[in-house]
Amino acid sequence: MTDSSTTVRPDRRAELAAGLARVRARIADACAAAGRDRAEVTMIAVTKTYPASDVVALADLGVTDVGENRDQEAAGKADEVAAAGVTPRWHFIGRLQRNKARSVVRYADVVQSVDSVRLARALDAAATGRDGPLPALVQVSIDGDPARGGALPDSADPDAGLGPVAEAVATAPGLRLAGLMAVAPLGWEPERAFARLAEVYESFRSVHPGAVALSAGMSGDLEIAIRYGATHVRVGSALLGMRPTLR
Ligand SMILES: *Cc1c(COP(=O)(O)O)cnc(C)c1O
């Protein structure tokens, strides 16, 4: 299979290996600085805009978890990767419309971006008949701006409040509430954003003690996220290179 779409060129493989070594060192250093066990933090390689061949190469280098943010791109990529005989854990991390739930559930092993009761219900319906409940994280809006996605902490909004969304996921037979996800808002110091997130996570955990995942931190701020308790960091550009367009 020399010219298969999932064959990676040796120079690209070397580039990915170098990126991976740098990111792994950053995570290890951040865990050491925070007095945390390195095994508590999972790195998700965010492969959006990059080809299936990069996913296969990363898996070959030991990456177990990959993230994608658009169904249209991810569905085909997941098929190509599976056809190459590689089975990473796929995390869906982008804004998701209810009419895409069925497609996403076909390949996603985890959905990190549940931010409304209606989306939780659509995913629950789509996940029925799956091998087991689909692990789902509730995405939280740290700045409370509903326009940018994320459930709203301290809001009683019946569709978008964090409490109602978490409850809808927790009680859905097709889903398993796994934790929270967030992105530091534009214009916020990551320090302030993740300190706020840690407070939200703490009160969330008092209601849902089994939902331990905290997905926070990207290429630019993973150290700070780890300091504030992230169990999953989602790393794209530091690993794969700068993306051509801003997503
Ligand atoms: C693209 C993306 C990332 C990765 O961002 P980088 O800055 O490239 O590391 C993480 N999380 C989400 C939700 C993303 O869309």
Side-chain angles (χ1 to χ4, degrees):
M1 296 242 295
T2 45
D3 62 357
S4 135
S5 67
T6 46
T7 301
V8 77
R9 291 168 37 168
D11 55 342
R12 178 58 174 159
R13 188 188 155 90
E15 214 168 71
L16 292 171
L20 186 58
R22 281 193 303 269
V23 171
R24 281 179 171 156
R26 285 177 59 190
I27 294 172
D29 288 350
C31 287
R36 297 184 57 194
D37 183 343
R38 170 67 183 83
E40 290 173 22
V41 179
T42 300
M43 187 201 72
I44 299 169
V46 178
T47 48
K48 63 188 182 195
T49 78
Y50 287 100
S53 54
D54 280 355
V55 179
V56 171
L58 286 168
D60 195 49
L61 292 164
V63 169
T64 53
D65 292 77
V66 298
E68 287 283 336
N69 72 334
R70 293 178 59 202
D71 174 60
Q72 206 180 345
E73 177 184 347
K77 201 182 294 184
D79 282 345
E80 279 183 74
V81 169
V86 176
T87 53
R89 198 174 299 118
W90 292 90
H91 297 253
F92 191 84
I93 62 172
R95 290 200 85 172
L96 180 53
Q97 284 163 355
R98 279 175 292 152
N99 62 5
K100 296 288 174 62
R102 236 163 249 294
S103 174
V104 165
V105 161
R106 272 188 45 245
Y107 58 86
D109 298 291
V110 182
V111 174
Q112 297 209 352
S113 43
V114 183
D115 65 356
S116 74
V117 170
R118 289 187 301 171
L119 177 57
R121 295 207 177 114
L123 284 167
D124 178 35
T128 306
R130 214 176 158 273
D131 261 0
L134 174 68
L137 280 67
V138 177
Q139 182 174 351
V140 171
S141 166
I142 293 175
D143 62 2
D145 177 357
R148 296 184 49 243
L152 308 172
D154 307 325
S155 163
D157 185 299
D159 190 51
L162 172 57
V165 179
E167 191 59 26
V169 174
T171 55
L175 306 177
R176 179 173 67 75
L177 180 63
L180 297 182
M181 183 272 251
V183 179
L186 287 173
W188 280 49
E189 291 293 330
E191 179 88 33
R192 173 171 168 235
F194 295 138
R196 168 74 183 130
L197 178 63
E199 286 172 12
V200 172
Y201 176 71
E202 196 180 311
S203 66
F204 164 83
R205 287 288 307 286
S206 69
V207 185
H208 302 284
V212 297
L214 182 60
S215 174
M218 321 199 299
S219 292
D221 55 20
L222 67 88
E223 285 85 357
I224 301 166
I226 287 171
R227 178 144 46 87
Y228 283 98
T231 61
H232 292 72
V233 292
R234 308 177 307 268
V235 186
S237 51
L239 199 54
L240 291 115
M242 291 307 284
R243 290 177 295 275
T245 54
L246 211 69
R247 295 282 181 99

